[in-house]
Amino acid sequence: MIQLGDFKLHLINDARAMHDAGGPFGLVPRALWRDVFMPPTDENLLPMTHHNLLVQANGKNIIIDVGYGNKLTDKQIAYLRLERPQGGLVAGLERVGLTPVDIDLVIDTHLHNDHCGGNTAQAEDGSIIPVFPNAEYVVQRREYEDASRPNERTRATYLAANFRSLIESGQMRLLDGDTELVSGIRGVVTPGHTPGHMTVTLESGGQHAAFVCDMASYAVHFERLGWMTAYDVEPLITLETKRQWQAWALEHNALLIFPHDPLRPMGRLSEDANGKRTVVKVDEPYV
Ligand SMILES: [Zn+2]
């Protein structure tokens, strides 16, 4: 657990999956990233973790992103080599003494399947039900609109089963731009990965943190403005978004959370005398 002012932050490792390196590094040549990040496997795969953040603030239990969930087919699990060594999100909540009924707010940074699949589950009768029955869910309206009209590039990851029933039942609220969700917790639009992608900032007792999410999937993407993933639909906008947020991170000495990074899931940006910017890892006791 990390204490941020009055807030309690618990990083929960929902899963780890293996992805073709062309995903996380996109247009960046392998010769450039392999020594800086890590060499890929013989099959050119790299690990991505899928972390969620439980925030206990103002008497509320808030989850930022919910991972793949349990609707994946055996074929998808095998393709992704998906592993849940710690049992996944719900098991992580149990280690903090919580169950899904205790969650008050679910913040979906965006609606890609690896971030919001855990919003819902399939009941035995085949119906789609919310995993967090008492929670309000929030997502940006722009993200919802894009997810509702996927194109050839996005339809494998924008799956209506993850969000449509929540909208129809009124359990999911659509946000129009930057929004304070709870005192000290803001959803801020950080376009690039998707136009409606959201970073969540936390501020308590003068301390700042950000669930960066896919603005920079790995910490190394945050350090190097020109490096971005193949999953970004607007890569040059990602670059400019990161430029702004590097300045923010330095100004606030913010704790940065990179939910896909197996090496540096948490860190702080520092700048040396030559202007070189590096994410310095913060060790995080997982729950
Ligand atoms: Zn992602």
Side-chain angles (χ1 to χ4, degrees):
M1 191 269 288
I2 282 196
Q3 191 83 34
L4 186 90
D6 294 332
F7 296 175
K8 290 181 165 51
L9 279 50
H10 307 266
L11 191 66
I12 297 176
N13 184 354
D14 177 59
R16 190 186 88 144
M18 299 299 287
H19 297 261
D20 187 278
F25 283 111
L27 301 177
V28 185
R30 178 164 54 181
L32 294 185
W33 58 256
R34 62 172 299 149
D35 296 330
V36 176
F37 185 67
M38 67 168 77
T41 68
D42 292 345
E43 296 169 277
N44 199 39
L45 303 176
L46 287 174
M48 295 184 96
T49 49
H50 296 272
H51 284 118
N52 315 130
L53 189 71
L54 170 69
V55 184
Q56 296 184 291
N58 308 326
K60 293 189 185 303
N61 296 312
I62 300 154
I63 297 183
I64 307 172
D65 281 350
V66 292
Y68 277 110
N70 289 322
K71 300 193 297 304
L72 293 174
T73 64
D74 289 345
K75 195 175 159 189
Q76 288 171 313
I77 289 169
Y79 176 75
L80 289 165
R81 295 162 164 79
L82 190 93
E83 293 175 359
R84 287 196 163 110
Q86 293 164 297
L89 171 59
V90 173
L93 293 176
E94 284 170 1
R95 289 194 291 277
V96 187
L98 300 175
T99 68
V101 300
D102 299 315
I103 301 304
D104 301 294
L105 176 65
V106 174
I107 304 172
D108 286 340
T109 59
H110 60 304
L111 292 174
H112 285 170
N113 190 36
D114 57 320
H115 294 263
C116 74
N119 279 349
T120 59
Q122 190 159 28
E124 279 179 20
D125 66 0
S127 62
I128 297 293
I129 56 172
V131 170
F132 305 98
N134 301 321
E136 178 180 52
Y137 292 70
V138 296
V139 73
Q140 286 290 327
R141 183 184 306 277
R142 171 65 199 263
E143 181 68 15
Y144 168 68
E145 288 173 350
D146 287 344
S148 302
R149 289 192 296 272
N151 60 29
E152 291 76 2
R153 180 97 188 276
T154 61
R155 68 181 162 215
T157 194
Y158 278 148
L159 307 178
N162 293 337
F163 52 85
R164 184 175 291 157
S165 62
L166 298 170
I167 290 286
E168 288 172 354
S169 69
Q171 198 174 346
M172 179 176 271
R173 176 161 65 104
L174 298 177
L175 307 176
D176 293 297
D178 300 351
T179 304
E180 180 153 51
L181 298 163
V182 172
S183 182
I185 301 181
R186 291 174 62 78
V188 182
V189 179
T190 47
H193 184 65
T194 69
H197 179 275
M198 197 158 53
T199 288
V200 181
T201 61
L202 312 166
E203 180 184 1
S204 180
Q207 298 183 54
H208 294 258
F211 190 85
V212 175
C213 205
D214 280 326
M215 181 216 306
S217 297
Y218 293 149
V220 71
H221 291 114
F222 196 74
E223 294 168 337
R224 294 164 192 247
L225 296 179
W227 288 20
M228 53 218 48
T229 78
Y231 311 122
D232 292 13
V233 295
E234 297 179 318
L236 296 182
I237 292 179
T238 301
L239 192 160
E240 294 304 329
T241 297
K242 289 193 294 185
R243 193 193 308 280
Q244 291 174 26
W245 282 78
Q246 275 197 352
W248 178 89
L250 288 171
E251 181 187 346
H252 296 289
N253 191 31
L255 178 69
L256 304 169
I257 299 163
F258 304 99
H260 290 310
D261 195 326
L263 303 175
R264 289 178 290 174
M266 283 194 174
R268 286 192 164 84
L269 191 67
S270 73
E271 185 175 50
D272 70 13
N274 300 318
K276 186 174 190 298
R277 293 173 174 181
T278 308
V279 173
V280 179
K281 183 178 181 182
V282 172
D283 281 322
E284 157 60 11
Y286 289 95
V287 296

